[in-house]
Amino acid sequence: MSQPTPRRWGRWGCVGVLLLFAAVCCAAPIAGTINAYLAVTTGAQGEDGNVEGGSAADIPPRMLTAYKKAVQQVGRHVPRCRGMRWPILAGIAKVESNHAMGRTIASNADIRPRIYGVLLNGSGAGGNTTVFPDTDGGRFDGTAHGERAVGPFQFLPSTWQSVGEDASGDQVADPHNGDDAALGAAIYLCGNGRDLTKRTQLRSAIFQYNRSDAYVANVLGFIEQYTAAAKAPALNNVSGNVRTVIEAALAQRGVPYSWGGGSASGATFGICCSPSGKSGASIKGFDCSGLTTYAFAKVGIRLPRVAAAQAGMGRRIPARLGTSALRPGDLVFYAYAPGRDSTIYHVGIYLGNGQMVNAPRPGAVVRLDPVSAMSGYAGGARLL
């Protein structure tokens, strides 16, 4: 069980939206006239300001193996549990220990040096104001003078003694072993048999782990990112520069949307503010044209920074031809007034089969979306 330390994240509110709108590509669709903005719908991650992306690339391979192994094993211990997935465990571990980053993770998943939280003695350190008496004589947390959370999933020893199981095969349930800890977390989250495919039950499971709404929103944001990163579309019959561009964009799945973020070199901190008042200044990631700029730079193509200007690159594919005229690697545009490229507000990269790689809006992450997910289809451009 996590340390009882609530996480609180700031909210951003900015002015000067009309001025900045001309400088950044992506915004909510406009209804009626060009200067009438609609607020974007934001998810939990954007609402609570996560600042780092979550993709499979930021998880040490041995820890990712532990998460996947726990998913396979949890049914033996909680047969009625439904919907346990590795991104759920990754979301918890990201917040609790950043996947034990900086530690040595052995082939058997033992983590050294061990990860200890603050001593929960009511001193106020780490936000704790309640005394937690020792329950394990220091066996797990290394001290008999009180309790402290342990391991990559930050279990209190008392909680570990009720959910800890051996997943590594050494006949010892050790919270400092990645396999054991991941299985213990899966058991704890499953409870008496939750259905984690249901959002309400998933939220309840995370809230039980740490009774803070901010913590729940934070973890849910990372779960969304890891879920997006876990989807691997097939790239049949795609090769050469087209494949390079698409793979570069796909590799950013799960990275947060950041208003004004992204360059030819990769994710960057953005600027303030989107039409909904969301700032990218504290978020390292991509907006829509930042993502396309990055992906096409991989093949030596330098794109203008904003979506409307990118529509002037390559061979234009008119909207009247429909989406069937698109090919993998094409830019896909959306406009407030289709037919007037000056009103283009969004761009994605076409994958094929009606799908695109998309950095859709503040509060979301780079992900796969149907071409129909955005309003005002304005055709495409073929650069390759």
Side-chain angles (χ1 to χ4, degrees):
M1 184 176 181
S2 168
Q3 298 178 58
T5 306
R7 279 86 170 169
R8 290 184 172 83
W9 302 87
R11 295 175 184 267
W12 290 85
C14 301
V15 295
V17 171
L18 290 177
L19 176 64
L20 288 169
F21 176 69
V24 186
C25 78
C26 302
I30 291 175
T33 60
I34 296 300
N35 61 356
Y37 291 92
L38 294 179
V40 293
T41 302
T42 58
Q45 177 230 344
E47 287 288 335
D48 285 88
N50 292 333
V51 297
E52 295 295 336
S55 68
D58 77 349
I59 305 174
R62 188 59 185 84
M63 291 304 292
L64 182 58
T65 297
Y67 306 154
K68 293 180 177 180
K69 188 174 180 180
V71 171
Q72 297 172 347
Q73 295 180 340
V74 69
R76 303 174 192 170
H77 305 279
V78 192
R80 294 171 56 201
C81 185
R82 297 290 181 270
M84 178 55 68
R85 300 175 289 117
W86 75 256
I88 295 174
L89 298 174
I92 296 286
K94 173 71 174 180
V95 175
E96 295 295 345
S97 70
N98 196 22
H99 309 297
M101 199 69 72
R103 261 62 175 185
T104 297
I105 306 168
S107 59
N108 69 346
D110 281 343
I111 297 169
R112 298 294 184 272
R114 294 178 172 181
I115 303 171
Y116 295 116
V118 298
L119 186 63
L120 301 175
N121 59 4
S123 67
N128 83 93
T129 57
T130 303
V131 176
F132 284 74
D134 177 69
T135 62
D136 68 332
R139 177 186 175 192
F140 298 118
D141 62 5
T143 178
H145 298 292
E147 294 280 87
R148 54 183 179 177
V150 297
F153 284 87
Q154 288 292 276
F155 280 100
L156 291 177
S158 57
T159 304
W160 180 253
Q161 291 180 72
S162 66
V163 301
E165 296 287 348
D166 170 36
S168 58
D170 62 0
Q171 309 304 312
V172 176
D174 181 3
H176 299 285
N177 175 275
D179 288 343
D180 295 356
L183 178 57
I187 292 170
Y188 189 72
L189 292 165
C190 280
N192 292 325
R194 289 189 177 99
D195 183 349
L196 300 176
T197 64
K198 297 180 178 178
R199 187 79 167 183
T200 55
Q201 294 193 38
L202 177 59
R203 289 184 65 90
S204 294
I206 299 169
F207 187 78
Q208 174 183 282
Y209 210 96
N210 187 322
R211 297 179 182 277
S212 160
D213 289 334
Y215 177 88
V216 172
N218 197 14
V219 171
L220 285 172
F222 282 115
I223 291 173
E224 179 183 348
Q225 293 174 41
Y226 290 124
T227 298
K231 298 177 181 177
L235 297 179
N236 299 328
N237 303 316
V238 177
S239 60
N241 284 347
V242 172
R243 190 182 189 96
T244 300
V245 166
I246 291 176
E247 287 183 340
L250 287 173
Q252 306 312 307
R253 285 174 298 164
V255 174
Y257 180 101
S258 175
W259 180 262
S263 70
S265 300
T268 67
F269 289 96
I271 61 175
C272 188
C273 286
S274 74
S276 66
K278 296 293 182 180
S279 174
S282 64
I283 303 173
K284 189 175 183 180
F286 295 94
D287 66 13
C288 64
S289 60
L291 179 64
T292 55
T293 296
Y294 168 74
F296 278 87
K298 292 297 185 181
V299 295
I301 295 177
R302 183 175 181 177
L303 293 180
R305 185 54 181 82
V306 298
Q310 290 181 2
M313 300 291 289
R315 182 168 72 84
R316 195 74 165 86
I317 303 168
R320 59 180 171 76
L321 297 180
T323 58
S324 62
L326 296 171
R327 295 179 185 171
D330 289 347
L331 294 175
V332 186
F333 299 106
Y334 301 85
Y336 301 121
R340 293 171 54 195
D341 282 0
S342 62
T343 71
I344 286 175
Y345 73 91
H346 194 81
V347 61
I349 300 176
Y350 189 63
L351 265 181
N353 299 315
Q355 300 287 309
M356 64 178 171
V357 190
N358 192 27
R361 62 177 183 270
V365 297
V366 177
R367 65 193 190 192
L368 304 186
D369 275 329
V371 172
S372 59
M374 311 297 294
S375 62
Y377 175 65
R382 185 162 299 147
L383 284 70
L384 298 170

